[in-house]
Amino acid sequence: MTIETTGSTEQDPSPGEDAQVGQSALWPADSDANGAFSDRPAVCEFTDTWYSYGGGEPAVEDVSFRVRKGDFAAILGPNGSGKTTLLRLALGLLKPARGSVELFGEASSRFRDWSRVGYVPQRVEGLGIRFPATVEEIVEQGRYRGFDPLAIFRRHGQKEVLDALEVAGISHLRSRPIESLSVGQRQRALIARAIVGRPELLFLDEPVSGVDAVGRDRFHELISSLNREHGMTVFLISHDIGAVMQGATVCACINRTVVFHGAPHHLTGEHLSELYGFPVDVLLHDALHEHR
Amino acid sequence: MPEIFQFDFMIRALIGGSMVAILAPSFGLFIVLRRLSLIADTLSHVALMGVAIGFVTSTYPTFVALLATTSSAAGIEQLRSRGRLPGDAALAVFLYSSLAIAVIVISKSSGFNADLFGYLFGTVLSINDRDLWLIGILLVVVVLFVASFYAELTQSAFDQDLAHVSGVRVTATNLALAVLTGATVTASMRVVGVLMVGALIVIPVLAALRLARGFRTALLLAIGFGLLSVWIGLAVAFYADLAAGGAIVLTTVVMLALAEAIGRLQEYVVSRRIRGSTDRSDLETARPPDVALDADKD
């Protein structure tokens, strides 16, 4: 298997120099993924986290890592590796069996300040049965700020909704029924829904599965720009390594436990072989060359 | 004045039926979207158990049914949300156990078979003032609930996890929805009977979903289809001397067929328009299919 990824091989230290392999060598408390000192606060932190469904084999085993404010964190791993379980733990949808998961310094199961968090799921339960909502109505849902007895009378078209639609590149689809959109367009609508409240931290669970290659690239460009230009911290689950590496600033490879954790350009074939269980070659594209 | 309005029992049937026609699809929309249509059927069997116990203990049967359905709805929701049983399995447990209790209670007593028949197939023509008051109070509670918690209900219907991350108290919303569904089932039971109560909750909603593009439109259309079904069904039953419950439910099916026909006609017209645009090599101006009502647009 050959995986193509991007990175500046001329300027960066040799791959693996400060990458950390295995659960025992995780982000030190006072350094970021590149090993440099960082005083950026952690917005999402797993500490010795364990979880198993129905008391069976652990789906997540002794995982520890943190995502700091401003990071674009890509969580990679094969199917069934526990990536989505980690995300559900982070969102307080599951409680860890052991260890802790914190959002903005508070246990995720008790976290209530959801205006700081956006979420784009892989699939939505309500779609597929003629869900009666326009794109605008779905994006509007992202502005929920607690009980509002007059919500049924509220009009659409507030500036925030229009802005979010524009950032997601789907202003022209605002009046279309959500069910009439393509998979890629739906995911953009869900991005708009997630960012309309201007969250600090954006979780995405394999948002481009089922989207074609061109759509995937554009989608990853959008996520990168949300991170770089809008300052959102991104926690992206994916198995599309090459595409993710274009924008990610840190990377965690998960196979029930942390296999690799560090800057994306330090990810080697050795790490990926350990992750996927078979030999993997990594072709590093020099981003600088590509732009010449 | 038409003959149908000259009888007190018909006036009461129209008032009671209209209130139920607003109640049932209001909840039905959220239940159908959450793929829980079977809950109406389950709770109607629980209501039957309540009616049987009410008869045996000489208590107001509708009131006992109301207690049984609301408490069972809460129990089903608890089992489902805690993951003890999958959603449909929890429904099956409640459906069959309450039906078994109803059968046993009925078999051990005698003398109310005729009344029981009315509860099974609907007794809207013999609806009394006490029933009207009960349905009226429920209607006020339900309308206030749906209007006040509109945002929470639509978020939960779209996706439970997304709703949670938006800050919606999903468990509490689901519990309230389940309990009030139990109450709605009990109220609807008087109009179309235990065996057909699910139809009034589900079928007008399906008709509305065929045509509506926005959530508010769907809600209003579902209520509209419910009201039309009750009014037309009662009129047909009155003039043709048919069972009112059956006539109402069959009318909901006709409404669904009508909605399907209108939907297909709209699709046909739009596809013709697009084909016309294509023939004129005017592909850029061809709009995507736009086949639904557009009442939610600003």
Side-chain angles (χ1 to χ4, degrees):
Chain A
M1 179 180 176
T2 300
I3 290 168
E4 299 192 15
T5 182
T6 57
S8 174
T9 52
E10 289 179 349
Q11 294 178 343
D12 291 327
S14 60
E17 186 175 282
D18 58 359
Q20 296 155 6
V21 181
Q23 66 204 33
S24 57
L26 298 164
W27 259 300
D30 59 350
S31 68
D32 66 12
N34 295 308
F37 177 80
S38 172
D39 57 358
R40 287 178 293 135
V43 291
C44 178
E45 183 164 8
F46 296 84
T47 310
D48 306 327
T49 307
W50 290 70
Y51 186 82
S52 69
Y53 291 95
E57 282 281 296
V60 164
E61 215 176 301
D62 200 16
V63 166
S64 298
F65 71 89
R66 67 181 55 150
V67 177
R68 290 184 184 279
K69 188 175 170 59
D71 280 346
F72 180 149
I75 314 299
L76 303 170
N79 289 336
S81 58
K83 304 187 297 290
T84 298
T85 304
L86 276 184
L87 184 137
R88 294 179 66 78
L89 285 162
L91 293 175
L93 294 162
L94 299 173
K95 281 184 188 171
R98 261 195 275 161
S100 69
V101 184
E102 290 186 351
L103 270 182
F104 296 99
E106 194 177 343
S108 63
S109 55
R110 289 198 300 273
F111 185 76
R112 289 288 172 268
D113 193 4
W114 292 110
S115 63
R116 303 176 78 179
V117 176
Y119 170 43
V120 179
Q122 192 178 353
R123 272 184 294 275
V124 170
E125 295 166 359
L127 292 178
I129 46 168
R130 296 182 190 278
F131 194 86
T134 59
V135 171
E136 199 170 11
E137 281 181 303
I138 295 301
V139 176
E140 174 74 27
Q141 286 189 346
R143 295 184 68 245
Y144 180 80
R145 290 293 174 269
F147 177 63
D148 174 9
L150 299 178
I152 195 167
F153 302 112
R154 301 267 182 240
R155 309 292 296 170
H156 308 302
Q158 292 98 332
K159 191 174 177 308
E160 294 91 331
V161 173
L162 300 180
D163 286 350
L165 287 166
E166 193 177 332
V167 170
I170 49 167
S171 297
H172 59 295
L173 302 175
R174 59 180 276 214
S175 298
R176 288 270 298 275
I178 185 83
E179 294 266 15
S180 73
L181 304 188
S182 69
V183 178
Q185 288 171 332
R186 278 185 197 177
Q187 289 305 105
R188 282 179 178 267
L190 292 176
I191 283 267
R193 184 193 182 283
I195 63 173
V196 67
R198 297 178 187 275
E200 296 167 49
L201 174 58
L202 185 60
F203 287 95
L204 303 105
D205 185 6
E206 300 197 25
V208 285
S209 55
V211 179
D212 62 34
V214 176
R216 272 204 301 271
D217 286 348
R218 287 186 183 156
F219 199 87
H220 283 124
E221 283 167 20
L222 170 61
I223 306 297
S224 294
S225 80
L226 287 173
N227 174 247
R228 285 195 312 267
E229 292 159 31
H230 298 264
M232 280 181 204
T233 308
V234 173
F235 183 111
L236 170 68
I237 285 183
S238 180
H239 51 229
D240 185 355
I241 299 172
V244 163
M245 289 309 155
Q246 292 173 24
T249 57
V250 292
C251 168
C253 295
I254 307 289
N255 199 351
R256 292 205 297 187
T257 188
V258 178
V259 172
F260 164 86
H261 173 254
H265 55 263
H266 295 147
L267 186 63
T268 64
E270 194 183 320
H271 300 130
L272 291 171
S273 300
E274 189 179 344
L275 183 67
Y276 289 98
F278 51 82
V280 175
D281 292 327
V282 180
L283 298 180
L284 286 170
H285 292 268
D286 187 339
L288 294 174
H289 288 166
E290 284 179 353
H291 287 94
R292 279 172 192 160
Chain B
M1 184 188 285
E3 192 186 356
I4 192 170
F5 296 119
Q6 290 173 7
F7 298 94
D8 274 355
F9 73 89
M10 276 312 296
I11 300 285
R12 277 201 297 271
L14 278 167
I15 294 173
S18 301
M19 290 197 288
V20 167
I22 298 171
L23 268 175
S26 303
F27 271 108
L29 179 59
F30 302 104
I31 288 166
V32 168
L33 290 176
R34 288 190 49 212
R35 295 179 169 90
L36 287 173
S37 299
L38 197 61
I39 199 171
D41 219 28
T42 301
L43 291 174
S44 65
H45 286 80
V46 173
L48 180 67
M49 175 187 75
V51 166
I53 293 171
F55 273 124
V56 169
T57 57
S58 302
T59 321
Y60 177 35
T62 308
F63 183 70
V64 181
L66 184 66
L67 285 181
T69 50
T70 49
S71 54
S72 297
I76 291 167
E77 186 51 36
Q78 286 296 312
L79 280 178
R80 198 195 60 76
S81 65
R82 290 183 183 182
R84 299 273 169 84
L85 286 173
D88 53 349
L91 292 176
V93 169
F94 273 81
L95 192 156
Y96 294 116
S97 54
S98 55
L99 191 59
I101 293 171
V103 168
I104 288 171
V105 171
I106 292 165
S107 72
K108 292 302 284 180
S109 46
S110 56
F112 58 83
N113 285 346
D115 295 324
L116 193 70
F117 191 81
Y119 275 96
L120 282 174
F121 298 103
T123 52
V124 69
L125 299 182
S126 61
I127 208 163
N128 58 35
D129 287 347
R130 189 165 52 171
D131 294 327
L132 284 185
W133 274 109
L134 187 72
I135 298 171
I137 292 167
L138 254 178
L139 179 66
V140 173
V141 172
V142 164
V143 167
L144 281 177
F145 175 76
V146 172
S148 306
F149 290 91
Y150 174 78
E152 288 78 1
L153 289 168
T154 49
Q155 295 248 14
S156 294
F158 188 56
D159 189 277
Q160 304 265 299
D161 290 350
L162 271 175
H164 168 85
V165 179
S166 291
V168 173
R169 293 184 182 271
V170 176
T171 310
T173 306
N174 287 345
L175 189 62
L177 181 68
V179 168
L180 286 174
T181 302
T184 302
V185 163
T186 310
S188 310
M189 171 186 77
R190 295 289 287 151
V191 175
V192 288
V194 162
L195 296 179
M196 292 180 284
V197 74
L200 208 52
I201 291 177
V202 172
I203 299 177
V205 171
L206 296 178
L209 290 179
R210 184 67 182 85
L211 297 176
R213 167 210 299 247
F215 217 99
R216 293 172 184 83
T217 320
L219 196 56
L220 292 175
L221 270 180
I223 291 170
F225 281 127
L227 282 170
L228 274 177
S229 302
V230 166
W231 293 337
I232 295 172
L234 277 177
V236 169
F238 180 79
Y239 289 108
D241 195 21
L242 300 173
I248 290 170
V249 170
L250 274 184
T251 314
T252 63
V253 178
V254 172
M255 293 287 157
L256 178 60
L258 210 61
E260 183 63 32
I262 294 170
R264 287 190 180 206
L265 188 67
Q266 284 178 323
E267 283 166 1
Y268 175 73
V269 169
V270 171
S271 67
R272 286 272 302 216
R273 202 190 307 155
I274 290 176
R275 208 176 303 141
S277 308
T278 312
D279 290 345
R280 292 194 306 274
S281 303
D282 196 14
L283 276 168
E284 284 181 5
T285 57
R287 291 175 60 79
D290 198 6
V291 294
L293 297 183
D294 197 14
D296 277 2
K297 274 185 81 174
D298 290 329

